[in-house]
Amino acid sequence: MASKEIEVLDPAATVEKLSSIATARALNRRNFMAALGMTGAAAGAALLSGCTSSTVAVSTTTVAPGESDVLNFALNLEYLEATFYSYITQGVDLPASVTVGSGAISGAPAKLTFATQQITDQLNEIYFDELNHVIALRTLLASAAVPRPAINLAAAGTISTAAIALSIARQFEDVGATAYAGALTLLTSSSLNYAIQILAVEGFHAGALRLVSIQNSISYSQADSLDVKPFDPGSAAAAAAGPTASGAFFATAGAASASSSTPAGFAFTRTTSQVLQILYGTAGVIGTTKGGFFPNGLNGLIAST
């Protein structure tokens, strides 16, 4: 990361050391709420409300979430991704330094063997990135960081093959990119810097995994109406016309799916409600607080669809 505030992070570092690094990085909730210009339930409804081409109801909260709540929401998602990649590439859980107070992990797969060394190396590098996202967010949040919630890695089915793992990984990265894209305008100072850089990494991961999915005919399970199927249009002319209902190389808006708020060539964004409906496995249901990959829900204030 380019910020002068960010130090090189050691995955094996202790929580105490990470907390001491974060002493000067306290979050400014008052400035966040003033910039957002909202209070009470209205603020809860607006969290992570990106511009999308579909209308999905967003839940509200009775307590206005602050900037640390948005970051903790992101931390929950990073816990899920990092834990998933840790098991499929290392065959073990995350380092103990970032799992203090963790909820139970169920459905964890054994270490998997992938078709090529290139895919194996790629997934191992993604594991490195996701682990360090967890470390970075825990460092930034310091004592405000929530512990890892209970996670069911088999929520989408037993991860018994490399193909199943790649299908889940592709969806995780696409959803993660849209979640961060929705959050950027709600963060300030060093928090915004972290989110921008993590968003870029999620985009790198998503693009790479979409290409792997196309090249290896990985099965596609649509997460929601904004989920773009990895697809090679088959000709230069068709590709130049952009994404279609059949899919695209990249998860961007095409001519038919674009809107005034999400122009053609732009990435979709998801609200917390939209993200949680995917992760809880409760598409179209408002007010759900747990399920799917998070059997007991997320830790923190933002936990309902």
Side-chain angles (χ1 to χ4, degrees):
M1 296 182 180
S3 169
K4 294 181 180 179
E5 294 184 358
I6 302 174
E7 302 179 27
V8 176
L9 299 172
D10 178 5
T14 64
V15 173
E16 290 76 18
K17 180 179 178 181
L18 296 174
S19 295
S20 67
I21 294 172
T23 300
R25 301 176 182 173
L27 302 175
N28 191 329
R29 178 181 176 129
R30 179 178 300 174
N31 288 345
F32 166 71
M33 294 309 295
L36 186 57
M38 301 179 183
T39 59
L47 281 173
L48 299 189
S49 57
C51 300
T52 69
S53 61
S54 65
T55 301
V56 177
V58 182
S59 61
T60 62
T61 59
T62 56
V63 178
E67 187 161 355
S68 62
D69 299 313
V70 178
L71 292 173
N72 269 318
F73 179 81
L75 177 57
N76 277 274
L77 304 188
E78 295 296 347
Y79 278 137
L80 173 61
E81 289 183 311
T83 302
F84 167 76
Y85 287 111
S86 184
Y87 276 105
I88 67 171
T89 65
Q90 311 302 306
V92 296
D93 197 4
L94 297 174
S97 58
V98 296
T99 58
V100 175
S102 172
I105 305 301
S106 59
K111 181 178 178 180
L112 296 172
T113 299
F114 296 91
T116 67
Q117 188 62 49
Q118 186 176 69
I119 295 174
T120 299
D121 295 346
Q122 180 184 114
L123 291 172
N124 273 270
E125 189 167 325
I126 292 176
Y127 160 69
F128 171 85
D129 290 343
E130 300 297 358
L131 171 59
N132 278 280
H133 293 170
V134 169
I135 294 171
L137 288 171
R138 285 172 60 90
T139 299
L140 181 62
L141 285 157
S143 61
V146 297
R148 182 176 62 175
I151 292 175
N152 175 17
L153 290 174
T158 302
I159 306 173
S160 57
T161 67
I164 292 173
L166 286 168
S167 179
I168 294 172
R170 190 285 308 169
Q171 190 174 107
F172 277 173
E173 299 302 332
D174 276 353
V175 172
T178 61
Y180 275 101
L184 290 183
T185 59
L186 306 180
L187 298 171
T188 61
S189 62
S190 60
S191 304
L192 177 60
N193 188 54
Y194 269 66
I196 289 172
Q197 291 174 299
I198 294 176
L199 168 60
V201 175
E202 297 289 336
F204 296 153
H205 294 171
L209 287 170
R210 291 179 68 84
L211 181 58
V212 167
S213 295
I214 292 170
Q215 292 174 331
N216 293 273
S217 301
I218 300 300
S219 63
Y220 167 73
S221 177
Q222 187 176 34
D224 61 12
S225 63
L226 299 181
D227 196 15
V228 179
K229 180 180 180 178
F231 176 73
D232 180 354
S235 73
T244 68
S246 297
F249 273 102
F250 310 109
T252 56
S257 57
S259 67
S260 59
S261 57
T262 308
F266 279 50
F268 297 107
T269 65
R270 286 183 173 94
T271 65
T272 54
S273 178
Q274 290 171 308
V275 171
L276 289 178
Q277 284 177 51
I278 294 171
L279 298 179
Y280 287 168
T282 56
V285 179
I286 302 301
T288 305
T289 58
K290 61 183 179 179
F293 289 102
F294 294 101
N296 297 330
L298 270 64
N299 285 332
L301 186 62
I302 305 173
S304 178
T305 61

